[in-house]
Amino acid sequence: MTAVSVPKSTSFDLGPARALSCRECGHETPLAAEYACIECFGPLEVAYDFGRVRREDIESGPRSIWRYRGLLPVPSNVQAHPNTEPGGTRLVQADRLAKALGLRKVWVKDDTGNPTHSFKDRVVGVALAAARELGFKVLACPSTGNLANAVAAAAARAGWDSVVLVPSSLEQAKILMTAVYDGALIAVDGNYDDVNRLAQELAAEHEDWAFVNVNVRPYYAEGSKTLGYEVAEQLGWRLPEQIVVPIASGSQLTKVDKAFREFGELGLVEQTPYRVFGAQATGCSPVSLAFKEGHDVVRPVRPDTIARSLAIGAPADGPYVLDAVRRTGGAIEDVTDEEVVEGIRLLARTEGIFAETAGGVTVATAKKLVESGKLDPDAETVLLITGDGLKTLDAVAHTLAPLATVPPSAQAVLDALANR
Amino acid sequence: MTAVSVPKSTSFDLGPARALSCRECGHETPLAAEYACIECFGPLEVAYDFGRVRREDIESGPRSIWRYRGLLPVPSNVQAHPNTEPGGTRLVQADRLAKALGLRKVWVKDDTGNPTHSFKDRVVGVALAAARELGFKVLACPSTGNLANAVAAAAARAGWDSVVLVPSSLEQAKILMTAVYDGALIAVDGNYDDVNRLAQELAAEHEDWAFVNVNVRPYYAEGSKTLGYEVAEQLGWRLPEQIVVPIASGSQLTKVDKAFREFGELGLVEQTPYRVFGAQATGCSPVSLAFKEGHDVVRPVRPDTIARSLAIGAPADGPYVLDAVRRTGGAIEDVTDEEVVEGIRLLARTEGIFAETAGGVTVATAKKLVESGKLDPDAETVLLITGDGLKTLDAVAHTLAPLATVPPSAQAVLDALANR
């Protein structure tokens, strides 16, 4: 477990990034398109020399995630290249939802406002910037849908080729919203875990393809930190007391936690205690199961849930999620598909925000955590809504319809309203 | 045509709004829920006393349209009430699109980033704020879809009841994205113009319903000014040389023009010349037709186009559109449904922005205006993309598909790519 520190690579300008560091054994390796430790095969993550970062520098930056470029593994001139300019999404004070959930104070981080309407634009933005610096020319990914949209759009905007692999069972909206950008979209007969394995095989054979969540994953994953940074800045430079984060690979949850710790260590916020909660769909809840059973290892499952963007049966960051949740005193819970739909509808009717199934998971999990006493009703709580309801219409279509279909007559409208 | 000036109403706090003024005869009436002149039945619009408005005041405001509250008919405390906080969307420098169109410099105003993914969140935000001040408790509208989404979401967030009337033929995405907010959604067997007439009848009978685009239309319409304000501010406090705006009722085009004039008159930007261009789908092109034939009157048509959000056969602001376009030296053009789809795909593959059919109309019209020499290729051009491709998937579904569907094998993926 001895960390071997290497000097900063002089080959690449990746801003404050200093090296890649193994999350298991701490071994350090120069910045490159690597993702597994050569010593122990553990996952690599970016290590930094931040220097001094001041609130004023961030506040005077652009409205996108690039205001945090001093904390990300990207070149300092990252804005000079065409990109989708993600981030800067709303943090909504959700009093009506809070009342419905029995919480004193709730904030909803609404990441549907991103260019392709999910948080994936953030991670892809960072991955593209790093990939360019590392010499790649093709952007690729395996995806459950949102990432496919974000990769295809970012590649189009940058003028890069893209190769996107998705399960052939994916929602039509996500298929169309990938194909429209005119990259190479390949549907694979299999589930996400099959597609992911295929991508790893292809990444090993095609060193010129930047699979954002495979061979440039250490850089890509850092993009999720911007969700945590934005929440803290938008709260007026302070940390929330509780945050509920959906779990797919688990990367997002660990990076939001990392963002809060970095802001505290850099003196950008006071180091107040916070608790991180994880949300899964019961039909794909390996991390929730491990948490409840007190395990450190996450046993893979075969996903069966309408929350397809969370349907990763073998979540790469599962163990680190367990660490973060346990360290901060949080919890992990899972909810049924019926609860997911109820969660989507609750958020919509109280706050006017239409989330995809993953957002329904977050809201329904928050409800369950309040009811079981695990979320403190008096503590300020942030819910991460990371994707858009327009992409998962099938999940709610059977529960929604117009009140009535009437001829064009005022009396017919009034009759329909009276019969509600 | 003599304007009768009335003193500012003391009943309502609507910020800088001073009175309602008839666009035809100039007659002024106190601020109220009125939309037609009692003298001549002409349409009313808001008249202001702006006082001094400085760039610094705007720049220090929130990221939403409320940074321009000093230029809108809303109470000064507008942010104190729950609202969807629209605006602050990206202005994207679109070099790849510019090259494809043969224009030197193009900016895309991407209003898909709004809370319900269209510019309608802007106008509804202003309508709700004014309606609250005017004493209403129910938010209502006839809609071609985007407005339905925005009204239902804004009402949900505010805790208001809503009544939304839509043509029963509307796209399923827009139906579901309205129903999910749990207001009263009524599908009407008829086209938009039928639904609009029905709303006018209901508005006359139900004085407690704020039909945003009927009885509070003068306030509502002002929300579109924020598109113009944002473009000018995001360009670094200056006006573009050319702007292409889609035409439905025509209100948006006239208000963008008004925004540019106001910014100039207030000294917020230099009063440089600009030309306003209008875009319609050929299947509903009454304003384009009037422009080409040199008429001042717009003859209603029966719409037949995939661009349903622009399918208003009797556009209320048609004559004012003709005025603005002719005064600034612009033009109006229309494009076929095939060209609309090509426009959507062109924008997506060059800039990674997925627009709804109305956006396809704007892009395809810009292309046609370049080809006919009406848009100056050397002048800086802004294109307004006002709605989201996820809402009009049917329009492109038949043209898009994965490159291939393959078994989970690397060789199968490579074969598919090789056979492109």
Side-chain angles (χ1 to χ4, degrees):
Chain A
M1 293 294 274
T2 321
V4 180
S5 191
V6 295
K8 175 161 175 165
S9 163
T10 51
S11 316
F12 302 116
D13 171 13
L14 290 168
R18 178 175 56 77
L20 295 176
S21 166
C22 176
R23 282 162 98 170
E24 288 299 318
C25 76
H27 178 77
E28 289 200 353
T29 184
L31 295 169
E34 306 282 345
Y35 61 107
C37 177
I38 53 165
E39 297 290 326
C40 76
F41 302 106
L44 298 174
E45 81 173 336
V46 177
Y48 297 94
D49 277 335
F50 284 132
R52 188 162 174 223
V53 180
R54 299 177 310 166
R55 289 182 185 175
E56 307 88 273
D57 300 330
I58 293 170
E59 287 169 343
S60 66
R63 290 185 178 190
S64 67
I65 60 170
W66 306 131
R67 68 201 281 110
Y68 307 111
R69 65 189 178 280
L71 301 164
L72 296 170
V74 297
S76 49
N77 73 340
V78 61
Q79 296 170 85
H81 298 281
N83 69 85
T84 63
E85 299 164 29
T89 59
R90 302 184 296 167
L91 182 72
V92 176
Q93 183 178 323
D95 293 348
R96 282 165 47 79
L97 177 62
K99 194 173 171 195
L101 291 176
L103 289 165
R104 182 181 61 80
K105 183 100 177 179
V106 170
W107 299 89
V108 171
K109 180 62 175 169
D110 178 13
D111 239 21
T112 69
N114 273 313
T116 67
H117 306 325
S118 88
F119 88 101
K120 291 291 187 183
D121 293 313
R122 300 175 181 271
V123 284
V124 170
V126 174
L128 172 63
R132 181 186 287 111
E133 183 66 19
L134 294 168
F136 289 100
K137 300 283 183 212
V138 176
L139 211 59
C141 69
S143 171
T144 57
N146 281 323
L147 181 57
N149 300 162
V151 162
R157 169 106 175 109
W160 284 33
D161 285 335
S162 65
V163 177
V164 171
L165 310 176
V166 298
S168 54
S169 65
L170 204 65
E171 295 96 332
Q172 197 209 18
K174 288 176 177 173
I175 294 270
L176 293 175
M177 198 187 179
T178 306
V180 75
Y181 302 112
D182 218 26
L185 169 63
I186 312 269
V188 178
D189 285 328
N191 65 21
Y192 176 73
D193 298 291
D194 298 325
V195 178
N196 193 29
R197 274 190 296 274
L198 182 57
Q200 296 196 22
E201 191 182 336
L202 285 163
E205 290 173 11
H206 292 267
E207 292 189 349
D208 52 336
W209 293 4
F211 276 92
V212 296
N213 50 345
V214 181
N215 51 344
V216 292
R217 187 174 182 84
Y219 308 96
Y220 159 90
E222 295 293 290
S224 283
K225 293 195 305 182
T226 62
L227 268 168
Y229 297 151
E230 278 184 21
V231 166
E233 183 182 350
Q234 289 171 319
L235 286 175
W237 297 104
R238 61 184 179 79
L239 302 180
E241 294 173 279
Q242 303 179 135
I243 187 163
V244 185
V245 186
I247 300 171
S249 74
S251 173
Q252 180 179 96
L253 186 147
T254 67
K255 296 302 180 179
V256 167
D257 171 54
K258 188 179 183 185
F260 288 171
R261 282 184 287 136
E262 285 177 350
F263 260 27
E265 287 159 9
L266 287 163
L268 292 167
V269 299
E270 203 183 324
Q271 289 179 297
T272 51
Y274 62 87
R275 296 196 295 155
V276 180
F277 295 81
Q280 293 208 296
T282 304
C284 183
S285 52
V287 191
S288 175
L289 195 67
F291 178 81
K292 289 175 181 174
E293 295 185 343
H295 293 163
D296 291 331
V297 174
V298 174
R299 196 186 316 247
V301 301
R302 180 164 285 272
D304 180 17
T305 169
I306 58 170
R308 296 190 212 176
S309 64
L310 304 182
I312 299 183
D317 289 85
Y320 307 109
V321 166
L322 294 169
D323 287 350
V325 169
R326 287 172 179 148
R327 193 194 77 245
T328 63
I332 305 176
E333 189 52 271
D334 54 86
V335 290
T336 66
D337 285 358
E338 290 70 30
E339 290 171 312
V340 171
V341 172
E342 282 167 27
I344 291 172
R345 297 189 62 179
L346 175 61
L347 178 63
R349 76 169 170 268
T350 54
E351 300 299 341
I353 296 170
F354 185 25
E356 69 162 11
T357 44
V361 169
T362 299
V363 172
T365 296
K367 184 164 186 283
K368 201 163 172 181
L369 288 167
V370 174
E371 287 163 0
S372 64
K374 285 173 190 146
L375 268 176
D376 176 357
D378 291 321
E380 193 174 36
T381 306
V382 172
L383 307 183
L384 292 192
I385 301 301
T386 56
D388 202 288
L390 280 172
K391 297 194 195 182
T392 60
L393 287 174
D394 287 351
V396 294
H398 64 286
T399 71
L400 300 175
L403 183 62
T405 300
V406 302
S409 118
Q411 194 53 51
V413 171
L414 297 175
D415 289 347
L417 291 172
N419 291 333
R420 253 189 298 189
Chain B
M1 292 292 275
T2 320
V4 180
S5 191
V6 295
K8 175 163 177 166
S9 164
T10 51
S11 316
F12 302 117
D13 170 13
L14 289 168
R18 179 178 55 79
L20 295 176
S21 166
C22 177
R23 281 163 99 169
E24 288 299 320
C25 76
H27 177 79
E28 289 200 352
T29 183
L31 295 168
E34 306 284 345
Y35 61 105
C37 177
I38 52 166
E39 295 290 324
C40 77
F41 302 107
L44 298 175
E45 80 174 337
V46 177
Y48 297 94
D49 277 334
F50 283 132
R52 187 163 174 221
V53 179
R54 299 176 311 164
R55 289 182 186 174
E56 307 88 272
D57 300 331
I58 292 170
E59 286 169 343
S60 66
R63 290 186 177 189
S64 67
I65 60 171
W66 305 131
R67 69 199 282 111
Y68 307 110
R69 65 190 179 280
L71 300 165
L72 295 170
V74 297
S76 49
N77 73 342
V78 60
Q79 295 171 84
H81 297 281
N83 68 84
T84 63
E85 299 164 30
T89 58
R90 302 183 296 167
L91 182 71
V92 176
Q93 184 178 322
D95 293 348
R96 281 165 46 80
L97 177 62
K99 194 174 171 192
L101 291 176
L103 289 165
R104 183 181 59 81
K105 183 100 177 181
V106 170
W107 299 89
V108 171
K109 181 64 175 168
D110 178 12
D111 239 21
T112 69
N114 273 313
T116 68
H117 307 323
S118 88
F119 88 100
K120 290 291 187 183
D121 293 313
R122 300 175 181 271
V123 284
V124 170
V126 173
L128 172 62
R132 180 187 286 112
E133 182 67 18
L134 293 168
F136 289 100
K137 301 283 183 211
V138 176
L139 211 60
C141 69
S143 172
T144 56
N146 282 322
L147 182 56
N149 300 162
V151 162
R157 169 109 175 107
W160 283 34
D161 284 334
S162 65
V163 178
V164 171
L165 310 176
V166 297
S168 54
S169 65
L170 203 63
E171 295 96 333
Q172 196 208 22
K174 288 176 176 172
I175 294 269
L176 294 175
M177 198 184 179
T178 306
V180 73
Y181 303 112
D182 218 25
L185 169 63
I186 312 268
V188 178
D189 285 328
N191 64 22
Y192 175 73
D193 298 289
D194 299 324
V195 177
N196 193 28
R197 274 189 296 273
L198 182 56
Q200 295 196 22
E201 190 181 338
L202 285 162
E205 290 173 12
H206 293 266
E207 293 188 350
D208 52 336
W209 293 4
F211 275 90
V212 296
N213 50 345
V214 181
N215 51 345
V216 291
R217 186 174 184 85
Y219 308 96
Y220 159 91
E222 295 293 291
S224 284
K225 292 195 305 181
T226 62
L227 268 168
Y229 297 152
E230 279 185 20
V231 165
E233 184 182 351
Q234 290 172 317
L235 285 176
W237 296 105
R238 61 184 180 78
L239 302 181
E241 294 174 280
Q242 304 180 134
I243 187 164
V244 186
V245 186
I247 299 171
S249 75
S251 174
Q252 180 179 98
L253 186 146
T254 67
K255 297 301 180 179
V256 168
D257 172 54
K258 187 178 183 186
F260 288 170
R261 281 185 287 134
E262 286 176 350
F263 260 28
E265 287 160 9
L266 287 162
L268 292 167
V269 298
E270 202 183 325
Q271 289 179 297
T272 52
Y274 60 88
R275 296 195 295 155
V276 180
F277 295 82
Q280 294 209 296
T282 304
C284 182
S285 52
V287 192
S288 175
L289 195 66
F291 179 81
K292 290 174 181 176
E293 295 185 345
H295 293 162
D296 292 331
V297 174
V298 174
R299 195 187 317 247
V301 301
R302 180 163 286 272
D304 179 18
T305 169
I306 59 171
R308 296 190 212 174
S309 64
L310 303 182
I312 299 182
D317 289 85
Y320 306 108
V321 167
L322 294 170
D323 286 349
V325 169
R326 287 173 180 150
R327 193 194 76 244
T328 63
I332 304 177
E333 190 51 271
D334 54 87
V335 290
T336 66
D337 285 358
E338 290 70 29
E339 289 171 312
V340 171
V341 172
E342 283 166 28
I344 291 173
R345 297 189 64 180
L346 176 61
L347 179 63
R349 75 168 173 268
T350 54
E351 301 299 342
I353 296 170
F354 185 24
E356 69 163 12
T357 44
V361 169
T362 299
V363 172
T365 296
K367 184 164 185 284
K368 200 164 173 180
L369 288 167
V370 175
E371 287 163 359
S372 64
K374 286 176 187 144
L375 269 175
D376 177 356
D378 291 321
E380 193 174 35
T381 306
V382 172
L383 306 183
L384 293 192
I385 301 301
T386 57
D388 203 286
L390 281 171
K391 297 194 193 180
T392 60
L393 287 175
D394 287 351
V396 293
H398 65 286
T399 70
L400 299 175
L403 183 61
T405 300
V406 302
S409 119
Q411 193 55 51
V413 172
L414 297 176
D415 288 348
L417 291 171
N419 291 333
R420 250 188 298 187

